[in-house]
Amino acid sequence: LGNDPADVGLDILLKAGKTKNLEVKTEIPADGFREWWEKQVLAVPHGSAPNLRTNQSLGHCIYAPSIRRALAAGVKEDASCIYCVGVSEDTSAPSARAGTAGCKLPESVFGGMKTHTFAVAGDHDGVGSVQTLLSTVRRRGPNWRDQEEAYAEYELTETAEDLLGFLPPREQADFKKTINSVLEVFRAFEPEVSSPYSGQSLVGAEGRSQLLTLAALRPARKNLLIPRGVGLPDDIIRVALLAEMSPLKELPVHLHLLSAGQAGKLRVADPLKSFLRVVEHRLGWKVCWHDDYDKLAATVRESEYPPYFFCTKDKHVLPLNLLTAVAENCGYVYEGLPTDALSLFRWLTATQAWTVACTEGQVQEAQAELQKLWKEAGLRAESHEAPEVVKPVGRPDVGGGFGASPFDGLGGDDKDWGELSDDDGGSSDDEPEVKKAGEDKPKATDASGDKATAAKVAGGD
C-alpha cells in the first residue's frame, strides 16, 4: 500500500522506509491497539468514525481539513500528547507533518505518568510538566508574617457554601483560605501558547513544519472510598469543595461505599446522606455501592482508566486483593490529603500537551485556535469573578519587636544628642537622687509662731 506515488486515490504521507511496513486493519485487534512502534492504519467506512480509544496511547496525531476540526477532535482524546494538523483540500498547497520527531522540551510535555503511560488521568509527572517542576517545592511553614500578607479572596459558589457547612465550624474559615490559595496557584500557572518552533520537514514545499504547544491542565480522575462503619470524612468534603471551585472542566468523581447488603435510603444517615444528595445532583458524582472489598476489587480491575484513590486512611490495612487490583490497572492509593496549595494543585491536576503542526502562514490561526479551544474545552463554563485582594491591617508596634529602634521612645529621632544633656539639672537614671533625712518634713514652729503657716508648709504650698 502506498508504493505507487501516482495513485491519487490514496491520501497518504509517504516516507521512505516506513510505507512497506504499513499494515491496514479493518477492525480493532482482539488485544487492542498498543502504543509501541507499530505502523498501522485502521480503515473504516466513509462517513463513520473509528471506535478507537486512545487511553493507552502516549501520542496521537489527527489530520483534518482545518486546524479547528483537528483540535476539536484532539482535545476529546486521552493520550498524553495530541498532535493536530490542518491539511488544505488543495493538493498543491504545502502541508505540515506531526509527530514526536521534532518536538522539544519543555514546549511538548513528553512523557507519561509515574506509574504507567496509561491515559491522562492523574499522577502525570511527565518530563517538563508543571507537576514535575513543583514536586520539590513546598510553602514555608506557619510564620508570624502570615498575619501581614495580602491574599486573594474568591466568592464561593452557592454549592460550595452548602458543602462548606459540612465541615466543623472551627475549620471552615481556614479551608476557605486554602481554596483561595489553590485558585491563585491555578492563576499563576495558567497555560499559554508557546512560541513557534521548527518540527519535521514540510510536505510539498521546502522548509520545516512550525509547532505550537499549549500544555493544558487536565483534572485528575479521582476515586474516593468510604469503608463500612465510617461516617463522612472531612477530607472527602474538602475534595468536593476543591472540585466545585476548580477553574477546570472537572470530571465526575467516583465515590465508593461499602454497604452491608442493605437496600433503600437507610443505608446511610445524615450528614453523609445529605452530602451524597448534594454531590450526586449538583456535582454529578457517581456513587458506587459494593457489598465487600472483593466486589470493589473486581470493579477496579474492570475500570477503563487507572484508578487513583484519594483521602485513604491507613492504606496498609486495606485488603491485599484491592491493593493488587489498583496496581495491576496502573492506579495508586494516596493516603490523606495535602494541606498546602501547591501539593493540592499537583495531586488534583495532570498535563496534556496540545500541539499544532502548521506552515508559517498558519501560525496566527493556530495560536488563536489553541487559545479558543482551551477556554471552551479546558475551563469551566462559568468562570469565577476576579478576587478581592485583602490586606490585613498591621498591628501597632509597641516596641521590643524585630526591627524596633532603641530610640523609638524619642519619636524615632536619634540624631540630636543635645536633647540628652544634663543642662536641665535633672538627675541621671543611674544616679538616683538621695534625699536627706527629714528633708520633706515641715519645719517646726516656735511657740509664738503661726500654726497656719506650719500647716501650709506641711502641705507643700
Side-chain angles (χ1 to χ4, degrees), residues 1-5 7-15 18-19 22 24 41 63 97 203:
L1 177 67
N3 289 330
D4 184 6
D7 187 357
V8 296
L10 296 176
D11 291 330
I12 296 180
L13 297 178
L14 303 179
K15 193 168 183 181
K18 290 192 175 182
T19 54
L22 194 64
V24 178
V41 172
Y63 292 81
R97 292 183 186 270
V203 177

Side-chain angles (χ1 to χ4, degrees), residues 76-90:
K76 299 176 182 179
E77 302 298 338
D78 300 308
S80 301
C81 300
I82 306 297
Y83 305 95
C84 302
V85 184
V87 183
S88 174
E89 296 183 0
D90 183 4

Side-chain angles (χ1 to χ4, degrees), residues 164-243:
L164 192 65
F166 288 100
L167 284 175
R170 64 182 181 276
E171 298 181 10
Q172 294 179 9
D174 289 341
F175 193 71
K176 188 176 179 180
K177 290 184 178 180
T178 300
I179 294 175
N180 294 330
S181 299
V182 172
L183 293 179
E184 284 297 283
V185 175
F186 271 104
R187 191 169 72 164
F189 294 100
E190 177 80 15
E192 297 180 354
V193 181
S194 69
S195 301
Y197 57 100
S198 298
Q200 301 182 49
S201 58
L202 293 173
V203 177
E206 298 293 332
R208 312 287 296 181
S209 303
Q210 297 300 301
L211 304 182
L212 297 92
T213 298
L214 185 143
L217 294 174
R218 307 295 266 177
R221 294 183 177 270
K222 295 174 279 291
N223 288 265
L224 303 173
L225 173 63
I226 300 181
R228 184 182 295 113
V230 177
L232 179 58
D234 291 345
D235 280 346
I236 290 183
I237 302 173
R238 296 185 181 98
V239 171
L241 279 163
L242 292 169

Side-chain angles (χ1 to χ4, degrees), residues 123-280:
D123 194 14
H124 192 75
D125 290 353
V127 179
S129 69
V130 65
Q131 289 84 2
T132 301
L133 298 177
L134 293 177
S135 61
T136 59
V137 179
R138 296 289 185 278
R139 192 187 190 278
R140 58 166 172 77
N143 191 280
W144 63 275
R145 293 186 180 275
D146 294 345
Q147 302 177 9
E148 302 178 357
E149 287 184 344
Y151 61 91
E153 188 172 53
Y154 290 81
E155 182 179 359
L156 296 181
T157 63
E158 182 179 351
T159 300
E161 291 280 4
D162 294 340
L163 290 170
L164 192 65
F166 288 100
L167 284 175
R170 64 182 181 276
E171 298 181 10
Q172 294 179 9
D174 289 341
F175 193 71
K176 188 176 179 180
K177 290 184 178 180
T178 300
I179 294 175
N180 294 330
S181 299
V182 172
L183 293 179
E184 284 297 283
V185 175
F186 271 104
R187 191 169 72 164
F189 294 100
E190 177 80 15
E192 297 180 354
V193 181
S194 69
S195 301
Y197 57 100
S198 298
Q200 301 182 49
S201 58
L202 293 173
V203 177
E206 298 293 332
R208 312 287 296 181
S209 303
Q210 297 300 301
L211 304 182
L212 297 92
T213 298
L214 185 143
L217 294 174
R218 307 295 266 177
R221 294 183 177 270
K222 295 174 279 291
N223 288 265
L224 303 173
L225 173 63
I226 300 181
R228 184 182 295 113
V230 177
L232 179 58
D234 291 345
D235 280 346
I236 290 183
I237 302 173
R238 296 185 181 98
V239 171
L241 279 163
L242 292 169
E244 166 61 20
M245 292 297 295
S246 172
L248 305 181
K249 187 171 290 186
E250 285 287 327
L251 298 169
V253 175
H254 290 256
L255 178 58
H256 303 271
L257 295 97
L258 292 181
S259 65
Q262 298 173 338
K265 298 181 180 180
L266 297 178
R267 288 184 289 185
V268 294
D270 280 329
L272 179 57
K273 179 180 177 181
S274 300
F275 177 80
L276 293 180
R277 185 183 301 114
V278 172
V279 296
E280 275 189 296

